[in-house]
Amino acid sequence: YFSDKFKKSYGISPLQYSKKHKNMGIALPTQVLYNAFIVKLLKRLIQNQRRDIMIIKDMCVFALGDNKENAVKVQQGEILEFHTRDCFNNQIDSEDYVMDVLDWDHINPATGPVYVEGAEKGDVLKVEILDIKLDDVGTMCCLPENGVLGADITENQIKKVPVKDDKAIFNRFELPLNPMIGVIGVAPENESVPCGTPGRHGGNMDN
């Protein structure tokens, strides 16, 4: 259990992490890593039990910096749970969906916004992603003139991909998944920036 949690947090197993730092001349025995990580995880679990976790859902923006006046106010260090939508704003509900009716002005939604009490202009905000839980199905689209193979695609194609046990079931293939955040960021200093646009403020981080 802890090995899986460690790997999700750092991208490699405790043993790989230990070997990596050993090669750099730093002695980090695997057991030390386990102990430190377990303590950190237990502290978070205790924090979760001591207070209710605020759930943020059913509100989103399509440009970072929008709707600031209605931002949910939270304390520094508070643990939040975000219910997110897919990059198409959950518009594509089946493989028979007609892409011509897709509202391209409402894609790449970001759940929120959230206002961190005490944060000021110029501050660096540290955000820890404690866990990512996937939906039971993902949506894949192949569109002409889009993506690496766009020139070879002649018509719109949609595929709903089941997700089970952290794997994408693509026909007869089971592809291991490494969950990550699509859109995350802060309000830009001046005007709002569409969520699909990456920049120094954040934005579309999987671009």
Side-chain angles (χ1 to χ4, degrees):
Y1 171 80
F2 288 111
S3 179
D4 290 342
K5 284 291 185 181
F6 190 99
K7 193 169 184 179
K8 282 187 176 182
S9 295
Y10 297 102
I12 57 178
S13 70
L15 182 58
Q16 291 171 321
Y17 193 96
S18 179
K19 288 181 178 179
K20 176 182 177 181
H21 285 77
K22 185 177 181 181
N23 293 336
M24 296 168 60
I26 304 173
L28 287 174
T30 303
Q31 190 59 47
V32 172
L33 291 172
Y34 268 123
N35 292 342
F37 185 70
I38 289 172
V39 169
K40 187 176 181 181
L41 192 60
L42 288 176
K43 283 182 178 179
R44 289 173 179 170
L45 292 174
I46 292 171
Q47 286 177 332
N48 291 355
Q49 291 175 347
R50 287 180 177 172
R51 59 187 176 186
D52 294 332
I53 296 178
M54 181 183 294
I55 298 176
I56 300 177
K57 62 179 181 178
D58 300 328
M59 62 178 298
C60 68
V61 295
F62 299 95
L64 294 177
D66 280 0
N67 201 27
K68 287 183 288 189
E69 63 277 7
N70 293 317
V72 178
K73 293 187 177 182
V74 301
Q75 298 297 319
Q76 296 184 38
E78 188 164 351
I79 298 176
L80 309 175
E81 178 178 313
F82 292 88
H83 291 207
T84 61
R85 308 174 188 180
D86 68 19
C87 67
F88 297 109
N89 195 31
N90 294 353
Q91 296 181 72
I92 302 176
D93 53 8
S94 74
E95 294 182 348
D96 298 323
Y97 184 87
V98 180
M99 291 297 293
D100 292 343
V101 302
L102 184 76
D103 183 356
W104 290 98
D105 291 328
H106 291 87
I107 61 171
N108 291 315
T111 302
V114 168
Y115 177 83
V116 180
E117 297 278 11
E120 299 179 353
K121 178 181 176 181
D123 286 348
V124 175
L125 295 182
K126 177 184 177 182
V127 178
E128 290 187 71
I129 310 301
L130 302 181
D131 195 14
I132 300 176
K133 294 183 179 179
L134 301 176
D135 205 342
D136 294 332
V137 63
T139 300
M140 176 181 174
C141 290
C142 293
L143 309 175
E145 304 304 323
N146 277 266
V148 178
L149 301 176
D152 298 323
I153 298 172
T154 58
E155 61 182 2
N156 297 332
Q157 297 181 52
I158 299 172
K159 186 173 182 61
K160 288 291 184 177
V161 182
V163 176
K164 185 178 180 181
D165 298 329
D166 289 328
K167 293 183 177 66
I169 314 302
F170 192 91
N171 297 336
R172 61 188 179 86
F173 299 101
E174 295 187 2
L175 308 175
L177 299 174
N178 184 19
M180 50 84 67
I181 301 297
V183 172
I184 188 172
V186 298
E189 182 177 5
N190 298 311
E191 73 252 11
S192 300
V193 176
C195 291
T197 303
R200 59 183 300 201
H201 65 286
N204 193 9
M205 304 304 288
D206 63 350
N207 199 327

